[in-house]
Amino acid sequence: MWNWLRLVKDSVSEKTIGLMRMQFWKNTVDDIYCDSPPHQPVAIELWKAVKRHNLTKRWLMKIIDEREKNLDDKAYRNIQELENYAENTQSSLLYLTLEILGIKDLHADHAASHIGKAQGIVTCLRATPYHGSRRRVFLPMDICMLHSVSQEDFLRKSQDKNVRDVVYDMASQAHLHLKHARSFHKSVPVKAFPAFLQTVALQKSKGSCTRGLRRRWGRFTSCSAKVALEDYLKKIQQVDFDIFHPSLQQKNTLLPLSLYIQSWRKRY
């Protein structure tokens, strides 16, 4: 269901069609919890998962509702709006994953919330070149205004310092959420770690900064995890927050090994 919802926005030419598809999934979830799933492969498998793991309906509906709101091609008004979107989509998916693993733990939920928000911010950054190719920009307007950056600056792939400052601020916020998530490391049940490792293993999306930026960023580089979420943040640091740098679109061939090591060390 997640992939179906994720693709709706880019696969429809009219918002009305997108709303119809979202309504289909709302009705489907309602039917699933009434033990009457429609004869549709994804719906049937979801019904089986709900029955097997007693999944919470609220998390599924939050994902659908937030995806429906996101059908409007509008930039986020501020970073908090982006974080709310991430909480209701990425974090909700994590809560469901924890339920599948049989985890009911407040610390795990807190970690999931922060990891989901970090993933949402990073996804927004990573998708910027793709969205720009379609003449769309979704980066938070408050941060852009703070640095006097317009949407046109991103559409023409500007490498000006103020554009990099916008990227830096967003990347720093994502790093802060990762830091908060790892602060619960000793309290989170080990059984929950696979959910976090799988979630941060993101799929690939389609000059220099000032020394001050590099110095300010340096305090974040001590985190030991090498998973894909942090991998992207380190890469963007290495290219001085040039969001359009070609290296950011290249696959990290060592990522599977890094994920295995983190899993073996029981860390996230």
Side-chain angles (χ1 to χ4, degrees):
M1 188 187 79
W2 174 266
N3 283 333
W4 282 61
L5 294 173
R6 182 175 57 85
L7 296 173
V8 167
K9 185 174 181 177
D10 288 334
S11 63
V12 298
S13 56
E14 296 182 14
K15 181 181 176 181
T16 303
I17 299 176
L19 291 173
M20 292 172 61
R21 294 189 182 181
M22 294 298 180
Q23 188 59 51
F24 165 79
W25 283 109
K26 287 183 180 181
N27 295 339
T28 295
V29 171
D30 285 335
D31 291 340
I32 283 173
Y33 281 86
C34 290
D35 276 339
S36 181
H39 295 289
Q40 199 263 9
V42 176
I44 292 174
E45 291 303 315
L46 181 58
W47 172 70
K48 292 179 181 178
V50 168
K51 297 291 288 184
R52 185 181 304 117
H53 303 288
N54 194 27
L55 301 181
T56 302
K57 179 180 179 181
R58 180 173 72 258
W59 304 133
L60 292 169
M61 295 304 291
K62 275 182 174 289
I63 293 172
I64 299 172
D65 289 340
E66 202 63 32
R67 289 287 187 181
E68 183 178 75
K69 294 176 185 176
N70 197 242
L71 288 175
D72 292 319
D73 283 341
K74 296 180 180 179
Y76 297 102
R77 291 175 296 179
N78 48 56
I79 189 70
Q80 289 76 25
E81 189 171 89
L82 171 55
E83 289 177 336
N84 288 338
Y85 172 77
E87 169 69 26
N88 290 326
T89 54
Q90 306 286 0
S91 297
S92 290
L93 184 62
L94 257 183
Y95 300 145
L96 290 167
T97 306
L98 290 173
E99 289 184 344
I100 290 173
L101 293 173
I103 304 296
K104 291 185 177 181
D105 181 84
L106 185 61
H107 296 102
D109 288 344
H110 284 321
S113 176
H114 285 294
I115 290 176
K117 290 174 182 175
Q119 186 174 359
I121 294 171
V122 168
T123 299
C124 185
L125 286 173
R126 295 172 69 245
T128 296
Y130 168 75
H131 289 144
S133 69
R134 305 184 69 177
R135 304 293 297 175
R136 294 187 290 185
V137 178
F138 297 105
L139 300 175
M141 291 186 290
D142 63 334
I143 298 180
C144 292
M145 292 174 63
L146 178 65
H147 297 289
S148 301
V149 174
S150 66
Q151 291 190 347
E152 187 61 33
D153 290 324
F154 283 99
L155 293 178
R156 62 183 177 83
K157 300 182 179 181
S158 171
Q159 297 184 11
D160 293 343
K161 178 183 176 299
N162 55 341
V163 172
R164 295 174 188 242
D165 285 348
V166 170
V167 178
Y168 167 80
D169 283 355
M170 292 186 63
S172 296
Q173 185 70 3
H175 241 304
L176 187 60
H177 281 300
L178 279 183
K179 184 177 179 181
H180 286 323
R182 292 189 180 119
S183 70
F184 298 103
H185 178 270
K186 294 182 179 180
S187 303
V188 172
V190 174
K191 286 176 60 179
F193 290 6
F196 300 150
L197 286 174
Q198 291 174 14
T199 299
V200 293
L202 300 171
Q203 296 178 350
K204 289 293 176 183
S205 302
K206 298 181 183 180
S208 76
C209 209
T210 64
R211 289 184 178 180
L213 279 179
R214 289 174 174 170
R215 184 166 55 251
R216 287 186 298 172
W217 182 265
R219 67 180 182 274
F220 292 122
T221 60
S222 61
C223 296
S224 60
K226 304 296 183 182
V227 289
L229 187 55
E230 188 174 57
D231 178 68
Y232 177 84
L233 292 173
K234 287 187 175 182
K235 279 185 176 181
I236 206 168
Q237 174 205 356
Q238 292 167 359
V239 298
D240 291 327
F241 307 99
D242 176 9
I243 200 171
F244 300 104
H245 197 280
S247 66
L248 298 179
Q249 307 302 320
Q250 296 175 359
K251 185 177 181 180
N252 180 1
T253 56
L254 296 178
L255 184 58
L257 176 62
S258 298
L259 288 170
Y260 174 78
I261 292 174
Q262 290 306 112
S263 177
W264 177 74
R265 296 173 65 186
K266 293 182 171 57
R267 302 185 67 175
Y268 63 85

